Amino acid sequence: MQLEFSNVNHYYGRRQAIGGLSFDLRQGEIGVLIGPSGAGKSTVLNCIAGLEPIVSGEIRIGGELASGTRVHVPAERRQVGMMFQDSALFPHLDVAGNICFGIAKRTDRSTRLAELLELCRLADYAGARVHELSGGQQQRVALARALAPRPKLLLLDEPFCSSDAALRSELLAEVRQIIKEEGSTALMVTHDQAEAFEFADRCGVLDSGTLCQWDSPYNLYHRPNCALVASFIGDGALIPGTLVSEHEVETELGVVSSDQRLTTLLMEAGHKVKVLMRPDDVVLANGCGGTRAQVFKRAFRGADILYGLRTGAGTELYACLPSRHDLAAGDAIEVSLQVEHVVVFPAVE
Ligand code: ADP
């Protein structure tokens, strides 16, 4: 493992900011922590970078103990690179000067500089000043500078947060590709779930200093392990249901069955449960015996429209329908369920 963050606790004074947090990253993997403001994302990065001591637990970087109860390797000896939302480049240096700042004196600077200029598609800008560069180019210089000393781990703190939407999506793909080409191990924190899904090999939801599920973006979306992850990740609703057998759950909109066993020690047949309904689980069934529901909200997204629907019994759920069906708030439709991944949670957790 290139990063092992094991059962770490951190306090600011008497206030706990991280509680028993564990996750890891293999060499060459990109991890992302998603969470709202105040969840503890920056604190995790600062603990890894060596800017904050931990109270208990262990942080290992490249197999070596960097933080422990009685161990605190200083930040400058951790071989960790950082990239922030503000590129924080030196305005008085040109691109080459900024990148070389990160290259250790002993190494062959010109070879490494040429490699990084090529990798970060900056070969034509080596002599350019920072103010002559676009926002995207500045971020690529910041990335090249962080990668220059070949860090064991790259940390990214909301690096695309101040970019506009179009640039953000372009930068995200570019930065991911550069990190992969370099074979670096990286950890990014963000509050943006779409960004996390596009960037991560593995990600998790951070909430009040604890981590809920450390998994692939696919599993986080389709197989959330708790109601908190289910509601934080993606659109969707938790609707009431009853387990009618090991593989079936009954809802107001019909019985949904799963290949996987749904019952657990906490949820047996007969128990009331909450069933996760993603917008793509709900399909239009006008005239086909669907359940009647009324549109209470709509968000136009171009190719499709996300509708908020309310059934006669008051259950709210979401449906993502092609935008050729242009419905308005108050319209009534019939819907049915087509659920690929059935996810249930106890009605009371
Ligand atoms: P995030 O990066 O997810 O927004 P932070 O790691 O910055 O969250 O903060 C986690 C919690 O710790 C918050 O409640 C925040 O107010 C608190 N906190 C962060 N930095 C300090 C600090 N230097 N001193 C005291 N409390 C802090």
Side-chain angles (χ1 to χ4, degrees):
M1 285 294 168
Q2 192 62 5
L3 171 67
E4 290 157 86
F5 200 90
S6 315
N7 205 14
V8 172
N9 287 289
H10 175 278
Y11 288 79
Y12 289 110
R14 295 174 67 179
R15 190 144 152 236
Q16 188 165 29
I18 299 179
L21 198 68
S22 300
F23 65 97
D24 51 34
L25 281 174
R26 287 186 284 267
Q27 167 62 43
E29 238 181 355
I30 298 180
V32 176
L33 292 173
I34 328 162
S37 177
K41 304 183 294 295
S42 302
T43 305
V44 171
L45 291 191
N46 289 339
C47 289
I48 297 171
L51 304 172
E52 289 285 343
I54 63 172
V55 171
S56 60
E58 276 189 358
I59 302 174
R60 288 181 182 272
I61 301 168
E64 287 173 30
L65 186 62
S67 297
T69 311
R70 283 183 205 83
V71 177
H72 184 83
V73 174
E76 63 279 10
R77 290 199 3 237
R78 294 193 175 209
Q79 295 175 264
V80 167
M82 289 201 84
M83 188 176 164
F84 305 95
Q85 64 178 260
D86 160 17
S87 59
L89 297 174
F90 303 116
H92 60 287
L93 296 179
D94 60 13
V95 167
N98 268 283
I99 297 175
C100 280
F101 187 82
I103 306 178
K105 301 244 169 4
R106 281 170 277 126
T107 50
D108 178 353
R109 285 191 160 197
S110 57
T111 311
R112 182 68 180 140
L113 173 63
E115 248 173 46
L116 289 162
L117 288 170
E118 187 67 34
L119 178 72
C120 298
R121 288 172 273 287
L122 292 163
D124 296 337
Y125 299 90
R129 293 282 164 158
V130 170
H131 70 268
E132 294 168 330
L133 303 174
S134 69
Q137 287 166 334
Q138 289 184 18
Q139 284 294 51
R140 295 210 303 274
V141 177
L143 177 62
R145 186 177 63 181
L147 291 174
R150 301 184 200 281
K152 288 180 180 169
L153 184 66
L154 178 68
L155 303 177
L156 303 104
D157 192 352
E158 306 240 12
F160 314 114
C161 181
S162 47
S163 315
D164 62 59
L167 175 63
R168 188 189 292 206
S169 149
E170 193 184 311
L171 255 178
L172 197 69
E174 273 183 349
V175 169
R176 185 180 156 84
Q177 194 184 339
I178 293 169
I179 292 173
K180 287 290 175 190
E181 275 177 40
E182 179 76 353
S184 304
T185 311
L187 178 68
M188 176 170 91
V189 301
T190 178
H191 62 273
D192 186 315
Q193 177 236 301
E195 203 172 283
F197 276 13
E198 223 177 305
F199 204 68
D201 297 318
R202 283 204 284 166
C203 60
V205 177
L206 199 59
D207 178 58
S208 308
T210 56
L211 185 65
C212 318
Q213 202 166 351
W214 182 241
D215 214 330
S216 66
Y218 188 91
N219 282 351
L220 227 55
Y221 185 81
H222 285 297
R223 300 187 185 97
N225 69 4
C226 64
L228 189 133
V229 171
S231 0
F232 190 80
I233 298 289
D235 299 307
L238 291 166
I239 69 167
T242 306
L243 280 174
V244 287
S245 74
E246 281 196 338
H247 294 267
E248 287 173 314
V249 56
E250 183 171 38
T251 73
E252 185 195 344
L253 293 94
V255 172
V256 178
S257 48
S258 166
D259 295 341
Q260 315 276 329
R261 199 157 64 93
L262 300 172
T263 47
T264 63
L265 281 178
L266 292 176
M267 293 184 293
E268 293 168 18
H271 282 190
K272 300 267 181 237
V273 291
K274 290 187 272 196
V275 193
L276 176 62
M277 285 300 148
R278 294 293 190 197
D280 45 325
D281 296 331
V282 182
V283 295
L284 203 56
N286 281 341
C288 306
T291 304
R292 212 175 137 82
Q294 198 172 40
V295 174
F296 70 88
K297 197 157 94 175
R298 80 193 282 281
F300 181 66
R301 295 177 164 190
D304 42 51
I305 300 176
L306 179 70
Y307 293 105
L309 303 172
R310 194 175 291 119
T311 66
T315 302
E316 288 184 0
L317 69 170
Y318 293 85
C320 191
L321 303 176
S323 64
R324 61 176 183 276
H325 308 288
D326 191 13
L327 305 167
D331 283 354
I333 54 172
E334 282 174 29
V335 289
S336 62
L337 302 179
Q338 244 172 45
V339 189
E340 201 69 35
H341 302 272
V342 183
V343 177
V344 295
F345 300 109
V348 185
E349 282 192 83

